[in-house]
Amino acid sequence: MLAIAVVIAGFARTFYLKAVFDPSPMTVLVAAHGVVMSGWFLLFFAQARLVAGGRVATHRKLGAFGALLAVAVLVLGTATAITAGHLGRVPPGAPPPPIFLVVPLGDMFVFACLVGAGLWLRKRSDWHKRLMLLSCVGMLTAAISRIPIEAWRQAGLVPYFLATCALVLACIAWDTLRNRRLHPAFVIGGLLVVLSWPLRLMLSGTDAWMRFAQRLIA
């Protein structure tokens, strides 16, 4: 529920309530991306409730749809990021498009790794549920960066990264205290999310990345 609340808070003005704050039309790509991403978070919530209610068979049936939805998240997320870079659109306080592109594309890479591993390990429920949770929480940076608090919106990338990592670590801490052990899925998945941020920052400063990003958004 917290992840959904963060998504709504971040994208209320630019997506969910856009007609109220900005009557200009939304592109088909952005609309599709927003619907698919919202669907992913809602599906995760529904799947968690199904398991909690003992409706495992229904959970498994929805899993096939979830795999297709994950592919749609990757395709539309990547396309939207590249298109935004081409148009020069970045969140407040973010660096220029070629540098910032490492953020959404990094999100897609981490998401693909977590969801791919989660689906591969779907018969090991303890691993599956934790990896799928991290796939949601690890993508919250985009929503966090758009929360409409002016001082926060101008804070820059590092605080956004730290906030995302804090949410990831909070999930891990809660699960560890609840189960009295640190699950290896959270060790591996958590490290992937957290360490991806400094690696992205280092990568974005290289000439190789700049050449690659500039070709993508040209």
Side-chain angles (χ1 to χ4, degrees), residues 60 117-129:
R60 288 173 178 164
L119 292 174
W120 181 262
L121 297 170
R122 61 189 179 277
K123 293 183 179 180
R124 298 181 63 179
S125 62
D126 57 326
W127 282 77
H128 174 75
K129 66 182 181 181

Side-chain angles (χ1 to χ4, degrees), residues 171-183 186:
C171 291
I172 295 173
W174 179 84
D175 182 80
T176 301
L177 290 172
R178 184 169 178 263
N179 295 288
R180 298 184 179 181
R181 67 183 287 258
L182 175 59
H183 196 281
F186 271 148

Side-chain angles (χ1 to χ4, degrees), residues 5 8 17 29 38 54 73 92 94 109-110 113 115 123 131 135 141 148 151 157-158 165-166 169 184-185 201 205 218:
I8 293 173
L17 300 175
L29 177 60
S38 300
V73 168
F109 173 77
V110 172
C113 291
V115 172
K123 293 183 179 180
L131 291 170
S135 78
T141 308
L157 290 181
V158 174
C165 292
L169 294 175
L201 290 175

Side-chain angles (χ1 to χ4, degrees), residues 50-134:
L50 285 171
V51 172
R55 301 173 64 184
V56 178
T58 304
H59 172 90
R60 288 173 178 164
K61 289 179 181 178
L62 275 178
F65 170 72
L68 294 175
L69 190 61
V71 173
V73 168
L74 287 170
V75 171
L76 291 173
T78 301
T80 302
I82 293 171
T83 301
H86 174 71
L87 297 174
R89 295 174 180 170
V90 296
I99 298 175
F100 177 74
L101 192 61
V102 78
V103 175
L105 294 189
D107 282 344
M108 291 299 99
F109 173 77
V110 172
F111 175 82
C113 291
L114 292 171
V115 172
L119 292 174
W120 181 262
L121 297 170
R122 61 189 179 277
K123 293 183 179 180
R124 298 181 63 179
S125 62
D126 57 326
W127 282 77
H128 174 75
K129 66 182 181 181
R130 289 173 173 87
L131 291 170
M132 300 309 272
L133 171 61
L134 288 175

Side-chain angles (χ1 to χ4, degrees), residues 93 141 144-145 151-152 154-166 201:
T141 308
I144 289 170
S145 68
W152 177 246
Q154 299 299 330
L157 290 181
V158 174
Y160 303 157
F161 297 166
L162 292 177
T164 303
C165 292
L201 290 175

